[in-house]
Amino acid sequence: MSGCIFCRIVAGTAPSTRVYEDDTLCAFLDIRPITRGHTLVIPKQHATDLDDLDPALGARLFTLGHRLAKAVRRSDLGADGANLVVNDGKAAFQTVHHVHLHVVPRQHGDRLTFAKGFLLRRPHDTESTAAAIRTGLDRLATEEKETRA
């Protein structure tokens, strides 16, 4: 869909700071983050809302969101948890009409800074933030290997 910003990101014709990509999914930093590390996970195939999304692809989308939530806990971002949110449809405040899962890192006691971030939505140092999340993914993969061994 040429008018969709997320489809243009997938195609490489719109800028993004990617933290993960495979054949079917892409994860990149939100350009108006609520907190540092706020990441969006999208299917590469356009789906306007959950009615358009294949359930198996939706499961993969959430699996990656789950993995990123675990990764931000292991990153140097200092996350103690994460909100995983899908806004499905205009009534649910979906502003980009391409299914996406928000992974929003959280810290204990961050209610005031979270509320401020929700209102201001200003970008952080994107390259170091993306690198921190990728490091968290690497640490998570190392933990999983050690657990299997």
Side-chain angles (χ1 to χ4, degrees), residues 9-30:
I9 286 171
V10 168
T13 59
S16 67
T17 305
R18 297 179 191 220
V19 297
Y20 177 87
E21 184 172 13
D22 64 24
D23 291 342
T24 58
L25 301 173
C26 184
F28 51 90
L29 296 180
D30 192 308

Side-chain angles (χ1 to χ4, degrees), residues 33-84:
I34 296 171
T35 63
R36 184 172 181 222
H38 180 170
T39 302
L40 302 177
V41 182
I42 66 167
K44 287 185 169 182
Q45 178 182 343
H46 185 84
T48 300
D49 53 31
L50 292 178
D51 284 347
D52 293 340
L53 186 65
D54 175 75
L57 184 54
R60 293 202 62 227
L61 185 85
F62 188 82
T63 297
L64 178 56
H66 176 216
R67 187 163 188 76
L68 287 166
K70 291 170 65 174
V72 296
R73 288 178 181 223
R74 287 154 178 84
S75 75
D76 295 331
L77 297 178
D80 299 312
N83 288 112
L84 301 177

Side-chain angles (χ1 to χ4, degrees), residues 3 7 21 26 30 32 47 53 56 94 99 108 119-120 136-137:
C7 288
E21 184 172 13
C26 184
D30 192 308
R32 295 183 54 237
L53 186 65
Q94 183 180 4
V99 171
H108 291 295
L119 294 172
L120 297 178
L137 285 168

